[in-house]
Amino acid sequence: MENIFFDNWQTIWRTLIIGGFAYLTLLVLLRISGRRTLSKMNAFDFVVTVSLGSTLATILLNKDVALAEGALALALLIGMQFIVTWTSVRVSWFKKLITGEPALLFYQGQHLNAALKHSRVTREEIKAAARSAGFDDLSDIGAIVLETDGSFSVLRKGDERSYSTLQDLSTPAKRGK
């Protein structure tokens, strides 16, 4: 009963160090695994949700974890989340590093094979995205984009000037093809 609120400083430092490295490791692994792993949830929502839930369960169930250690772990996760989001809003290269960029997968009737392969998306998934958006023919589609949260955006075929949301994406026309 003596370590309910505080055990010792060594365990506090261990929680701080291990918590920081575990959080960064999870973020790196999620970025390496690609945006399809997250499917509709950005990396930070996913990390915070899973980490906070796991930490809370550990605090509640593991008798070897003192309240001070658990509280520090939760504060560390929330603090790191704040730092990452604060920085990504203010530093554009950091935001690109953390969240990635949307990928143009289908453009003006063409499957962009290199982008499909890089994003690990099949032509069947492109067809499924088209059907989900209410299209029964790919010839009616101007572009399909894999968003950073793993969802697909499907744009109706039309005048290329109307595709203002594609400005920052690399398209065959912009590459001179």
Side-chain angles (χ1 to χ4, degrees):
M1 193 78 161
E2 66 259 7
N3 70 349
I4 289 177
F5 295 105
F6 180 81
D7 193 13
N8 62 53
W9 285 108
Q10 181 180 3
T11 57
I12 297 290
W13 281 110
R14 181 183 181 282
T15 301
L16 184 65
I17 292 167
I18 296 299
F21 283 120
Y23 180 84
L24 292 175
T25 300
L26 185 55
L27 281 178
V28 167
L29 291 173
L30 286 171
R31 282 295 292 138
I32 290 170
S33 68
R35 63 193 117 170
R36 293 305 301 269
T37 303
L38 302 175
S39 186
K40 305 259 183 196
M41 186 181 287
N42 69 45
F44 308 109
D45 293 336
F46 181 77
V47 168
V48 169
T49 301
V50 171
S51 299
L52 291 174
S54 177
T55 302
L56 180 60
T58 301
I59 294 167
L60 295 173
L61 301 174
N62 190 337
K63 295 175 186 174
D64 295 331
V65 178
L67 180 59
E69 294 166 351
L72 177 62
L74 292 171
L76 177 65
L77 291 170
I78 292 168
M80 291 181 80
Q81 179 67 12
F82 176 81
I83 291 167
V84 167
T85 56
W86 186 89
T87 305
S88 68
V89 168
R90 288 161 179 79
V91 181
S92 60
W93 67 265
F94 186 76
K95 180 180 183 198
K96 283 183 182 180
L97 177 72
I98 297 299
T99 61
E101 295 179 319
L104 184 61
L105 305 176
F106 183 86
Y107 186 71
Q108 294 183 343
Q110 296 179 355
H111 288 89
L112 305 180
N113 292 322
L116 288 168
K117 191 176 201 177
H118 183 268
S119 298
R120 298 186 320 265
V121 174
T122 65
R123 288 178 180 235
E124 288 75 24
E125 289 174 296
I126 293 296
K127 290 176 187 174
R131 289 190 300 271
S132 292
F135 291 92
D136 57 2
D137 191 345
L138 291 177
S139 66
D140 295 331
I141 296 173
I144 299 179
V145 178
L146 176 62
E147 301 295 349
T148 59
D149 67 357
S151 65
F152 292 98
S153 292
V154 181
L155 302 176
R156 183 172 302 282
K157 190 173 191 175
D159 185 21
E160 187 174 328
R161 290 174 288 162
S162 68
Y163 295 147
S164 62
T165 60
L166 299 179
Q167 284 179 342
D168 297 334
L169 298 176
S170 178
T171 64
K174 290 181 181 177
R175 290 190 301 251
K177 291 184 180 178

